[in-house]
Amino acid sequence: RQALTMQLSGKVCLGLFLLVCAVDVSRAVDCGAGQYVNATGACADCAAGTVSWTVDNSTQCTPCPAGSYQWQEGQQGCFQCPTGSTTNGGGKDSASACVCEDEKYLANINGNWACAVCPAGLECTYAPDLGVVAFQEGETWVREGEFEVGRWMLRGCREGYLLVNNTYEGQMCSRCPINTYSVHFMDGCTDPESGCGTRSCNDCPAGGSCPGGLGGFTPATQSEWETVLNSAGYHQKRVSKCPKEFVLIRSPDNPALDECTICDQVTTCTRCEPEYPDIMSAGAPGLGQAMCRDCTGCPDEIKDNLPGAASLPASLSLLLSGAVGACALAFTSAARVV
């Protein structure tokens, strides 16, 4: 037998190895700051979102109050949310639980959490425990920083909109107004590295309609159009082919004049139309005029059996070279170029 003396909770017990003393566990130990006495009587670290400020024998930790958070275990204090933000209740274990007031959102800027001003193209609203940031479908927004918790940055827009991002607060997808269109959101942006400023969309071509925004450009006839990049850095629609009974007008300097125009009397002489190329060029201005004059000058006695320009009779060729039709007058006032 071996006697032991044990000091437990201020009581002295003398006995054998098997001697059991009544012990007040809650007063058995004092734990350090950031800790508490668990169910087994041992000290344990406070969980994230809770803290313990003093050295004592408390059996639970204190939740961080509303407007604060603690992301680590075993801590003595809580971090305050950035100015202008709060949390939905206490016990929060992350800075992301802090929610900013309307028109702002929480972001990590240069290593510090702050309420960032909502850019023009974002919708930032307050929701309990959840900062709501919304943007239009088709827009591309990304967050700065290694963990993508920085500021929201606009990187792409839908067709019919132009990207504006030369200032942080002014970031937005600018909608093309009625009678204009945009093929690519970067059109006209001269310095993408520094950001794209405010600029105008393309004027709507005469040969179509542009309702604005996602409506884009719709040809007025069953014509074919191609997309080209001009010297100013804009993608523009240019007419490339017109349907039968129409003449193509393509301006060398002003795409807004592009269209397919119909010969006034072509419906009475559809088989007399020669097989000329679809595109009129400035070097052959008579080409478009001849197409229209053919329609207006087609003799009734041969209009049903002419196969096309390759087999035009000599009498008709003379007629074409000397006649001046209604469509020719229209062509003299419009530029024609490939």
Side-chain angles (χ1 to χ4, degrees), residues 65-99:
S68 66
Y69 64 95
Q70 176 54 257
W71 57 277
Q72 293 180 304
E73 298 179 348
Q75 298 302 304
Q76 305 176 42
C78 304
F79 294 103
Q80 291 297 312
C81 285
T83 302
S85 67
T86 187
T87 61
N88 180 32
K92 303 306 177 185
D93 60 2
S94 172
S96 60
C98 300
V99 183

Side-chain angles (χ1 to χ4, degrees), residues 276-297:
Y276 288 114
D278 295 302
I279 299 178
M280 306 299 99
S281 69
L287 193 58
Q289 297 172 15
M291 289 180 70
C292 291
R293 286 202 299 270
D294 177 32
C295 296
T296 59

Side-chain angles (χ1 to χ4, degrees), residues 38-116:
N38 64 18
T40 65
C43 294
D45 287 341
C46 292
T50 66
V51 295
S52 174
W53 288 281
T54 60
V55 176
D56 57 23
N57 53 17
S58 298
T59 58
Q60 61 182 8
C61 297
T62 303
C64 289
S68 66
Y69 64 95
Q70 176 54 257
W71 57 277
Q72 293 180 304
E73 298 179 348
Q75 298 302 304
Q76 305 176 42
C78 304
F79 294 103
Q80 291 297 312
C81 285
T83 302
S85 67
T86 187
T87 61
N88 180 32
K92 303 306 177 185
D93 60 2
S94 172
S96 60
C98 300
V99 183
C100 299
E101 60 191 20
D102 283 353
E103 304 306 324
K104 293 184 178 181
Y105 67 95
L106 191 68
N108 191 295
I109 304 174
N110 298 324
N112 298 312
W113 289 99
C115 286

Side-chain angles (χ1 to χ4, degrees), residues 138-216:
E139 296 178 358
T140 302
W141 290 83
V142 298
R143 298 200 75 168
E144 293 179 317
E146 181 180 358
F147 300 103
E148 298 182 352
V149 292
R151 298 184 304 175
W152 283 101
M153 306 300 291
L154 181 59
R155 294 290 183 261
C157 303
R158 298 170 291 179
E159 184 173 339
Y161 291 74
L162 292 178
L163 173 68
V164 177
N165 66 343
N166 59 335
T167 65
Y168 170 74
E169 292 82 1
Q171 294 181 100
M172 63 180 298
C173 289
S174 178
R175 182 181 185 274
C176 291
I178 189 172
N179 294 326
T180 66
Y181 72 98
S182 170
V183 176
H184 195 278
F185 60 84
M186 292 295 291
D187 280 351
C189 182
T190 58
D191 190 2
E193 290 297 324
S194 299
C196 304
T198 302
R199 55 209 186 278
S200 300
C201 300
N202 297 310
D203 290 331
C204 193
S209 61
C210 303
L214 289 175

Side-chain angles (χ1 to χ4, degrees), residues 255-279:
L257 298 179
D258 284 17
E259 66 174 326
C260 292
T261 184
I262 190 170
C263 292
D264 291 342
Q265 300 181 33
V266 73
T267 54
T268 64
C269 185
T270 55
R271 295 192 181 184
C272 289
E273 181 183 3
E275 295 297 326
Y276 288 114
D278 295 302
I279 299 178

